[in-house]
Amino acid sequence: MWLAPPNVLRQRPRNRGKKGGRRTKYPCLARRDARPCEVQNLARYSPGFTEQKAQQYRIKDTCHGPEVWEIKWHTCWRKTHGDRLVSRQGTLIVARNVLTGETKYFFSNRVPGRNGWTLRDLLRVAFGRWQVEACFREAKEELGWDHFECRGWRCIHRHLYVTILSGLFCARVRQQLSPSNLVTSGELLTMEQVRRAADVFLAAIDLPPQHSRQIYEAELERQRYHQRRNAAAARSHRKTRLQQLHHLGIDPDQIKSALPKQPPC
C-alpha cells in the first residue's frame, strides 16, 4: 500500500532517451513510487502512523467483559492488477488490543467523513466478522455441518441446506427465550443447549407422559445447572477484565465506543 497516491505513467515520456534492455510497458508506476510497502511496515515506520496518537475504543462487550482496542487509521491506496495499477482511496486501520497486544489490520474502500461513513461504522464492520466465525464454528460442532459423507453436488447442497435451516431454528429459539440483556451475563442460551433440548423432545415425544415428563425435568435441571455455572464464570471473567483495564488507567464507560446503538424501548 501507499499512504500517498503514487504517480501512474500512461505513456512514455517524450524527453526520455532510448536505452537498451527490456522495454517498459505502459501504463506503469513511476520509478520512485513503484514499490509499495507492507501494512506492518507502514504501521511501524511511517510518520503517518508513528506521529499519530492512538484512540481507545470500546469495541464490543462479551461474557468476558468489555474489549478495548487502540485504533490508528490513515487514508491509503492499494496495489492492484491490470491497467489501473492503483485502487481508489481507502482506509487502513491498525488496531491493537490493550490487554493482549494483539494487532489486526483492516482495509476498507470507505473513508471516514465521506458519504456518511464514520470510523465507528468501519470498526463495527471490521470487528463484526467474529459473529460469522462463531456461527460457522457452532454449526460444525453442534449441527454436523462438516460431517457430510456423500457424492455429488446435489447431496452436498442438501446437507448444507438442512444444516443451515437447523441453525436458523436454533437461533430463533435462542432469540425468543433469551433477552438481549442476558448476553453479557452468561445466562444466554447456547447452541449446544438448544440442540440438546430439541434432541430430548424428539426422543421423548412418543413415550408415555410420565416418562417424558421425567426426561424433560432431568434435562431442565441439567440446563439450569450449566446456566448457573456460565453466569458465575461470566461474572468472574468480567470482574477480572475490569480490574486489568482500571490498572492501565482505562475506564470503559468513559472512552469512545463502537458498540451498536441500542434500539429505543
Side-chain angles (χ1 to χ4, degrees):
M1 293 184 175
W2 300 271
L3 297 187
N7 295 323
V8 178
L9 303 178
R10 297 296 175 182
Q11 57 185 358
R12 183 185 182 90
R14 295 182 179 180
N15 57 353
R16 183 175 179 179
K18 296 183 178 180
K19 298 181 179 180
R22 186 175 60 180
R23 298 184 59 182
T24 304
K25 296 182 180 180
Y26 293 89
C28 66
L29 296 174
R31 184 178 297 275
R32 61 183 180 86
D33 298 333
R35 187 176 181 181
C37 296
E38 296 183 356
V39 292
Q40 296 90 339
N41 296 332
L42 287 176
R44 184 176 301 176
Y45 304 111
S46 174
F49 283 97
T50 57
E51 299 177 0
Q52 182 182 159
K53 184 178 180 180
Q55 306 178 54
Q56 294 178 350
Y57 274 87
R58 184 175 182 170
I59 297 299
K60 57 185 177 182
D61 285 345
T62 66
C63 59
H64 286 217
E67 288 194 6
V68 179
W69 292 69
E70 292 181 344
I71 306 298
K72 292 184 178 181
W73 68 277
H74 202 286
T75 55
C76 63
W77 287 259
R78 183 172 57 91
K79 183 179 180 181
T80 62
H81 300 283
D83 296 337
R84 292 183 56 187
L85 300 179
V86 181
S87 68
R88 296 180 180 178
Q89 188 181 33
T91 304
L92 175 62
I93 300 176
V94 181
R96 189 186 73 88
N97 193 310
V98 297
L99 294 180
T100 63
E102 178 186 5
T103 303
K104 293 185 177 182
Y105 306 92
F106 303 100
F107 173 75
S108 173
N109 58 355
R110 302 295 181 179
V111 179
R114 189 179 301 173
N115 298 329
W117 284 87
T118 63
L119 181 59
R120 287 184 174 88
D121 298 332
L122 298 183
L123 292 177
R124 292 192 191 105
V125 175
F127 284 91
R129 67 180 185 180
W130 74 274
Q131 300 175 352
V132 180
E133 296 173 355
C135 181
F136 288 168
R137 175 180 55 80
E138 291 179 342
K140 292 179 180 179
E141 294 178 354
E142 302 298 336
L143 304 177
W145 196 7
D146 57 345
H147 294 170
F148 56 88
E149 297 179 0
C150 51
R151 299 178 180 178
W153 285 108
R154 181 177 299 178
C155 301
I156 295 177
H157 288 173
R158 184 185 297 113
H159 175 79
L160 296 179
Y161 295 156
V162 172
T163 307
I164 293 173
L165 289 176
S166 301
L168 177 60
F169 169 77
C170 294
R172 291 289 178 85
V173 173
R174 293 177 64 187
Q175 184 180 15
Q176 183 178 1
L177 300 181
S178 299
S180 58
N181 58 353
L182 298 180
V183 175
T184 59
S185 66
E187 301 178 20
L188 180 70
L189 284 174
T190 63
M191 178 72 75
E192 188 267 344
Q193 291 173 338
V194 176
R195 194 263 307 162
R196 279 188 58 92
D199 291 343
V200 169
F201 173 77
L202 294 177
I205 192 172
D206 293 330
L207 296 179
Q210 183 178 359
H211 295 284
S212 60
R213 189 179 304 109
Q214 293 177 356
I215 296 176
Y216 295 157
E217 292 178 355
E219 178 62 23
L220 183 60
E221 181 60 28
R222 179 185 180 279
Q223 295 213 10
R224 286 174 177 172
Y225 167 74
H226 286 286
Q227 289 292 92
R228 292 193 298 268
R229 286 189 54 184
N230 293 341
R235 288 193 298 267
S236 177
H237 287 307
R238 185 175 181 84
K239 181 179 179 181
T240 301
R241 178 166 293 182
L242 289 176
Q243 290 177 351
Q244 293 174 345
L245 293 176
H246 289 160
H247 181 71
L248 297 176
I250 301 175
D251 187 354
D253 296 327
Q254 301 298 326
I255 62 177
K256 298 179 180 179
S257 174
L259 300 176
K261 297 181 180 179
Q262 296 294 338
C265 298

